[in-house]
DNA sequence: GCACGAAGGACCC
DNA sequence: CACCAGGGTCCTTCGACT
């Protein structure tokens, strides 16, 4: 289609803000886990198909993660490709890849010219910023990140022994949320459509999600967490950060033993296994919890040398907040490890926004927040459903009504209200369009949500609906607070 | 010139 | 046989307003 899909948004290329206006990350500011966003991506330089398999999200599904001893990765990629090609989803991925290629090329142009310049004056400024980051280093806490192993799948196996030792996944034909380790041997992973997983592993058993059950188990493990840190931070149903510094003061035990004990209690009380990472801050603990998965733990000592030796060779992709797009940008600059981030800090500084620079540098130094708190104010509440092709406005309004009712009920449960309603349209070609509207007064009733949503749809319907042929459309409501 | 609402993305689980 | 979720958070850029 037209190139109006290529939004004109810039990347994190930044010469805007000069280094001196750097401000510290405030104590309780944000999740330090959030990386740069809205960055472009790189991609193929040439031939379509194979490049796409290799470079895009599609190919990525097969590689990366562990657990593929049994099956040939190339074979997995091939099967996924065969199942995906020609689908609307895949075409959209291709289109995004192309857009990213273009942006990446522009970035590289800038990068090449940068390399020819004399950056010695910038150098000292950048080194200064690194010093500032270094001063934030705090090694006085013992932070633990606990992550349940294949959580949903393990619960289902626990409750239905006939599923054990067989490849199985939780989800449905359109999307899997978790797969057990047997299934991973076939290349079946979370966030993979069930029908594709079936092609990789015809014997795969898919069991539907049972969130009520997962929530109940989550409650159990959280109770255990609270014994060690009443202010633990839950990140999702199966994950949490704990600061066990205080707890350690009360007993004569090593951090390792305490975490063993936590995992033992989890196992005793839920019959499920967990993995954990122990380190000086959340960033490092999170990375560590993945190292000896499943049913294992890893301790990184609170010591600058150990931390630097640990982080330097680490692939940038291991940093939470660096995803596929950012990884490819960095790779294009020949930055593959955290050590390379530091080595190229001047270029990073010139190529990215100051906030991205700060994020990259701190990650590469192994510096992160060690603030662990329970309180959390939600910023939005949403509901979304994907449904097949609607052609008439009235059909949309009907969906709107259903979703508005649900959302209102959820808002009531938490006594929430908001001022902004956002509607996201998912077109048949997988392009997403969002239109939102803010109002003066706080609202929360189904009628208010419906009426505002209806206006938003009405205004945009002629511009959006005709764009697609038929098939699926989706509405999302977001009520911001 | 600024604070802010709106739209689009990147990422995470 | 067939055709890729749903819930959240944060960051950037743009432009109408004052």
């Amino acid at each position: 289609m037209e190139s109006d899909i290529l939004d004109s948004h810039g990347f994190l290329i930044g010469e805007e803000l000069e280094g001196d206006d750097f401000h510290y990350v405030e104590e309780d500011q944000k999740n330090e886990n959030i990386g740069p966003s809205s960055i472009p991506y790189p991609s193929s330089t040439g031939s379509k198909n194979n490049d796409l398999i290799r470079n895009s999200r599609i190919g990525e599904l097969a590689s990366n993660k562990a657990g593929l001893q049994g099956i040939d990765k190339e074979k997995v990629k091939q099967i996924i490709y065969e199942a995906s090609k020609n689908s609307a989803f895949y075409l959209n991925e291709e289109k995004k890849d192309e857009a990213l290629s273009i942006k990446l090329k522009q970035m590289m142009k800038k990068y090449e010219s940068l390399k020819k310049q004399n950056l010695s004056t910038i150098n000292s400024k950048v080194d200064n910023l690194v010093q500032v980051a270094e001063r934030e280093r705090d090694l006085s806490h013992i932070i633990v990140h606990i992550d349940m192993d294949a959580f949903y799948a393990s619960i289902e196996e626990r409750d239905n022994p006939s599923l054990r030792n067989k490849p199985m996944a939780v989800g449905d034909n359109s999307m899997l949320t978790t797969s057990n380790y047997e299934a991973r041997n076939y290349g079946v992973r979370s966030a993979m459509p069930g029908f594709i997983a079936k092609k990789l592993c015809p014997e795969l058993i898919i069991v539907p999600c049972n969130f009520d059950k997962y929530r109940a188990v989550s409650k159990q493990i959280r109770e255990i967490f609270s014994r060690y840190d009443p202010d633990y931070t839950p990140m999702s149903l199966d994950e949490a950060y704990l600061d066990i510094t205080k707890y350690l003061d009360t007993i004569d035990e090593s951090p390792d033993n305490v975490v063993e004990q936590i995992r033992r209690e989890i196992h005793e009380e839920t019959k499920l296994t967990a993995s954990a990472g122990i380190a000086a801050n959340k960033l490092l603990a999170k990375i560590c919890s993945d190292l000896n998965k499943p049913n294992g733990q890893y301790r990184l000592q609170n010591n600058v040398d150990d931390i630097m030796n640990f982080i330097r060779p680490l692939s940038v992709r291991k940093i939470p907040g660096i995803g596929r797009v950012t990884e490819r940008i960095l790779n294009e600059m020949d930055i593959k490890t955290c050590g390379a981030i530091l080595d190229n800090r001047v270029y990073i500084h010139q190529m990215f926004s100051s906030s991205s620079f700060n994020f990259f540098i701190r990650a590469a130094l192994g510096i992160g927040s060690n603030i662990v708190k329970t309180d959390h104010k939600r910023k939005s509440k949403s509901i979304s459903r994907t449904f097949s092709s609607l052609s008439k406005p009235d059909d949309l309004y009907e969906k709107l009504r259903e979703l508005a009712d649900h959302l209102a009920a959820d808002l009531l449960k938490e006594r929430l209200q908001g001022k902004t309603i956002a509607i996201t349209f998912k077109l048949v070609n997988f392009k997403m369009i969002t239109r939102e509207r803010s109002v003066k007064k706080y609202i929360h009733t189904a009628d208010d949500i419906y009426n505002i949503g209806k206006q938003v749809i009405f205004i945009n319907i002629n511009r959006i609906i005709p764009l697609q042929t038929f098939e699926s459309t989706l509405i999302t409501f977001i009520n911001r607070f």
Side-chain angles (χ1 to χ4, degrees), chain A residues 237-377:
Chain A
L237 290 183
D238 77 316
E239 230 182 85
Y241 288 106
L242 281 67
D243 183 344
I244 59 169
T245 315
K246 278 197 186 126
Y247 180 83
L248 286 166
D249 287 341
T250 68
I251 46 136
D252 185 27
E253 276 296 348
S254 69
D256 306 70
N257 286 343
V258 169
V259 174
E260 293 271 8
Q261 186 181 323
I262 297 174
R263 292 176 42 239
R264 195 162 49 240
E265 285 177 23
I266 290 174
H267 188 251
E268 281 165 5
E269 295 175 36
T270 68
K271 300 293 171 223
L272 301 168
T273 63
S275 297
I278 312 159
N281 59 51
K282 290 189 280 184
L283 169 74
L284 295 171
K286 164 101 177 160
I287 296 170
C288 289
S289 69
D290 212 44
L291 262 35
N292 284 327
K293 202 168 238 312
N295 197 17
Q297 62 186 62
Y298 184 95
R299 166 88 192 276
L300 175 58
Q301 298 290 331
N302 289 23
N303 167 304
V304 182
D305 286 341
D306 287 335
I307 291 172
M308 289 314 293
N309 288 333
F310 173 84
I311 202 114
R312 205 176 287 123
L314 211 64
S315 158
V316 296
R317 187 57 188 272
K318 295 285 182 201
I319 302 296
I322 295 184
R324 153 177 160 273
V325 171
T326 309
E327 178 190 32
R328 285 170 66 178
I329 293 172
L330 292 173
N331 283 177
E332 204 70 17
M333 295 168 65
D334 217 33
I335 296 171
K336 298 200 164 58
T337 64
C338 290
I341 289 180
L342 286 182
D343 296 340
N344 290 281
R345 56 190 180 279
V346 177
Y347 296 118
I348 302 250
H349 181 268
Q350 298 303 103
M351 293 286 295
F352 297 92
S353 70
S354 70
S355 115
S356 295
F357 169 84
N358 288 329
F359 165 75
F360 288 135
I361 288 299
R362 278 160 184 72
L365 288 170
I367 294 173
S369 159
N370 55 17
I371 297 169
V372 177
K373 284 195 161 65
T374 298
D375 69 347
H376 169 70
K377 281 185 215 65

Side-chain angles (χ1 to χ4, degrees), chain A residues 28 374-380 414 416 481:
Chain A
D28 61 317
T374 298
D375 69 347
H376 169 70
K377 281 185 215 65
R378 89 156 52 242
K379 306 282 196 306
S380 66
E414 292 184 58
L416 296 169
F481 312 105

Side-chain angles (χ1 to χ4, degrees), chain A residues 114-161:
Chain A
L114 226 47
K115 284 203 287 195
K116 291 183 199 136
Q117 293 172 29
N118 177 3
L119 299 172
S120 51
T121 50
I122 321 265
N123 242 315
S124 59
K125 193 200 313 194
V126 171
D127 285 348
N128 235 347
L129 292 174
V130 172
Q131 292 308 313
V132 171
E134 185 58 48
R135 264 175 254 136
E136 286 169 28
R137 195 186 288 282
D138 180 355
L139 303 178
S140 64
H141 290 247
I142 301 287
I143 307 297
V144 183
H145 179 253
I146 299 184
D147 195 353
M148 300 296 290
D149 302 320
F151 192 48
Y152 301 170
S154 300
I155 293 177
E156 298 301 339
E157 282 185 36
R158 178 195 69 178
D159 296 350
N160 181 353

